Amino acid sequence: MSAQPLDPRRPSLAERRKSETRMEIARTAARLFAAHGTAEVTADQIAAESGVALRTFYRYARTKEDAVEPMLAAGAQRWLAEIAHLPHLPTPSDFESAAVRSLTLGDSPQDLEITRGLLQAMDSDPALRAIWHRINMEAERDLHRLLVELAGPQSDPIHLRLRAAGAAGAIRVALELWAAANGPAVGEGSPADLVKRCMRDLL
């Protein structure tokens, strides 16, 4: 009996373990930064609390601030994956639905609280703001590339750039407002609720 071929889209066990380690480091760094700020936290502390050697830490992050990137970027990656599965250029309703699904089906309550603390700490921490804005800019660029592919070569480049900037900006603003207001995880004032409101006001 022949063995079944491996699904090329499914990550290998080694890749999944690497992803889990990277995310565990990100959670630890985010929790420490939220509590103490980046200036008071060292890479050694993050590595030790993550249960990895410092050498291993630097395999996954160039700097201690970069360590939080996988956690902050996870939501944008889920949202972009939702958009990528559409057979047509997304409408405002498509943008909204994809954003709500990526938020509703994404982070655990614990991860959501860690993200809230990180976004609150960002107000007084330039290093964290730089990471957050870089992640959002990369998400906007990735979204723009997706829109160009979906719209085809005859599309209006200005229109697509503005759509990408508006949609990505709406999510960023919603999350920042939610964190600043200590909003709930679900219901009125939640990330999903605020994303819907921001999308409808903007798009």
Side-chain angles (χ1 to χ4, degrees):
M1 185 174 181
S2 61
Q4 292 295 319
L6 293 175
D7 184 346
R9 297 168 297 179
R10 179 175 171 79
S12 67
L13 178 60
E15 289 169 334
R16 294 198 299 274
R17 284 176 175 167
K18 286 180 181 179
S19 179
E20 289 167 3
T21 300
R22 183 178 290 110
M23 189 59 74
E24 180 57 32
I25 290 171
R27 288 190 183 100
T28 301
R31 178 172 50 79
L32 290 172
F33 290 161
H36 307 291
T38 55
E40 301 299 320
V41 177
T42 66
D44 293 271
Q45 286 176 285
I46 299 170
E49 294 208 22
S50 301
V52 301
L54 186 60
R55 180 182 297 179
T56 301
F57 171 86
Y58 279 117
R59 287 199 200 112
Y60 293 99
R62 292 170 298 176
T63 68
K64 63 181 183 180
E65 292 85 4
D66 282 336
V68 302
E69 185 169 337
M71 187 170 183
L72 290 177
Q77 290 165 355
R78 288 192 299 269
W79 180 57
L80 289 168
E82 292 273 355
I83 299 296
H85 283 110
L86 292 173
H88 54 76
L89 193 65
T91 64
S93 178
D94 290 327
F95 278 125
E96 179 187 316
S97 298
V100 170
R101 282 196 302 272
S102 68
L103 288 166
T104 305
L105 304 176
D107 297 331
S108 68
Q110 181 184 12
D111 283 351
L112 205 56
E113 286 306 310
I114 294 173
T115 300
R116 184 206 303 273
L118 200 59
L119 292 176
Q120 290 173 342
M122 180 184 71
D123 282 342
S124 58
D125 195 315
L128 289 180
R129 283 202 302 276
I131 296 292
W132 176 238
H133 289 303
R134 186 181 78 201
I135 288 168
N136 281 279
M137 178 58 72
E138 289 174 356
E140 179 187 321
R141 288 176 176 172
D142 288 342
L143 176 59
H144 177 247
R145 283 193 289 270
L146 275 176
L147 297 184
V148 170
E149 291 173 7
L150 290 168
Q154 304 304 317
S155 58
D156 180 349
I158 294 177
H159 175 70
L160 294 184
R161 282 293 300 272
L162 288 173
R163 289 282 294 278
I171 294 179
R172 178 182 60 78
V173 169
L175 289 171
E176 290 174 358
L177 288 173
W178 167 76
N182 278 316
V186 295
E188 186 176 355
S190 67
D193 176 57
L194 291 173
V195 160
K196 285 192 289 187
R197 291 165 59 184
C198 288
M199 288 277 187
R200 290 171 186 178
D201 282 353
L202 188 61
L203 299 177

